[in-house]
Amino acid sequence: MTRRLLTALALTGTFAAANVSAEALRLGTEGAYPPFNFIDASGEVKGFDVEIGLALCEKMGADCEVVAQDWDGIIPGLIADKYDFIIASMFITEERKKQVAFTDPYYLAAMTHVVAKDSDITEFTPEALEDKVLGAQSGTTMADYIEATYPDADIRLYPTQDEVNLDMASGRIDLVVGDLLPMLDWVSNTEDGACCEMAGDPITDPAFVGEGVGIAVRQEDNDLRERMNKALQEIREDGTYQEINQKYFDIDVYTMK
């Protein structure tokens, strides 16, 4: 009887330990979009997106593994269960909502034109740019914008933003349309970016920048989406968000103030 009781208690303890194990989640990001997500010299994926994602995991009591994925395959990777959510500076748009569900925005969105400091480009109309070479990252709302706005320009699309920036710095393209905050970081804080400057008004057309930048989950994962929204509110309230924000930006990107 005693042996049976001890065995039962041991099994109960094992099951109890299993039940309190932390939830395992996989965080998908690009790893090629500094300062939001990038791979550092040691091979680790870092950046604002990643730190926010890990902070949300901590609030939810989950152990999170970071998975890097090329941008062109990032939504298919989520749908194929390669990871559980995407936090990769993805604009919330109606087109993307057909494939995934989004959390509340975790920062606001705008795009910008970038030109060389000695550029003769002063207007951003289809007529003014029809003979210019324009660049953007493929599969992004920036690519959608230049294709819709400047249909007669020589448009070149690249797999990563780093490749766009490299051709801009080398003088192989005349103008880039990019996400405002990464482009601000590039022109202000990098050697290559010293060639260039942001120009014109910020691009805030909701048809392209959507409702802000959100975290994508599979459409059936509504419980995870709601838990992430709750965790996002909590890291805003307890100062965690602001602490991460200040490591990367001089403004609060949640409010753009």
Side-chain angles (χ1 to χ4, degrees):
M1 179 70 71
T2 302
R3 184 176 298 172
R4 288 183 187 144
L5 178 59
L6 289 173
T7 301
L9 288 172
L11 287 171
T12 303
T14 300
F15 292 143
N19 286 337
V20 298
S21 296
E23 176 186 17
L25 291 173
R26 295 156 300 167
L27 179 165
T29 195
E30 183 185 13
Y33 204 58
F36 290 94
N37 55 78
F38 57 91
I39 298 174
D40 70 9
S42 68
E44 287 191 69
V45 187
K46 297 288 184 66
F48 175 79
D49 288 335
V50 177
E51 291 200 40
I52 292 294
L54 293 176
L56 297 179
C57 289
E58 184 175 349
K59 283 294 181 187
M60 295 188 297
D63 288 334
C64 280
E65 172 192 0
V66 180
V67 179
Q69 167 67 51
D70 289 346
W71 181 260
D72 285 350
I74 204 162
I75 287 179
L78 175 67
I79 295 169
D81 198 32
K82 187 174 181 178
Y83 27 80
D84 300 298
F85 64 95
I86 298 169
I87 181 163
S89 292
M90 183 175 286
F91 291 179
I92 302 169
T93 65
E94 292 303 317
E95 190 63 29
R96 287 175 177 151
K97 284 181 182 179
K98 296 175 183 176
Q99 301 180 75
V100 298
F102 284 100
T103 64
D104 297 335
Y106 67 98
Y107 73 88
L108 295 185
M111 300 186 297
T112 187
H113 298 94
V114 174
V115 299
K117 288 181 177 176
D118 60 358
S119 173
D120 62 355
I121 298 173
T122 57
E123 295 183 26
F124 303 93
T125 63
E127 296 76 20
L129 298 180
E130 65 181 355
D131 62 343
K132 301 296 185 182
V133 181
L134 312 186
Q137 184 180 4
S138 63
T140 65
T141 52
M142 284 73 80
D144 294 341
Y145 180 82
I146 62 171
E147 288 177 329
T149 309
Y150 309 117
D152 296 323
D154 180 356
I155 295 172
R156 301 182 187 178
L157 303 180
Y158 300 76
T160 69
Q161 188 63 45
D162 284 344
E163 292 172 83
V164 186
N165 294 350
L166 179 62
D167 266 14
M168 185 72 210
S170 301
R172 289 189 282 269
I173 52 180
D174 300 309
L175 178 147
V176 167
V177 171
D179 189 359
L180 190 149
L181 288 169
M183 298 314 296
L184 175 61
D185 178 71
W186 184 64
V187 301
S188 302
N189 299 317
T190 70
E191 184 176 345
D192 284 346
C195 65
C196 301
E197 62 188 4
M198 298 195 308
D201 295 329
I203 302 163
T204 57
D205 185 341
F208 297 98
V209 302
E211 304 162 22
V213 176
I215 301 165
V217 300
R218 288 179 287 273
Q219 291 180 334
E220 62 270 24
D221 289 344
N222 192 55
D223 176 67
L224 177 59
R225 185 184 67 83
E226 291 183 350
R227 289 163 54 214
M228 286 192 152
N229 281 337
K230 182 175 182 292
L232 177 58
Q233 182 178 351
E234 289 173 351
I235 67 170
R236 285 291 299 172
E237 291 172 350
D238 70 10
T240 302
Y241 184 102
Q242 289 83 347
E243 183 179 344
I244 296 169
N245 186 108
Q246 288 169 7
K247 291 173 63 174
Y248 296 95
F249 310 109
D250 294 328
I251 62 170
D252 183 349
V253 297
Y254 189 81
T255 61
M256 286 296 183
K257 294 179 182 178

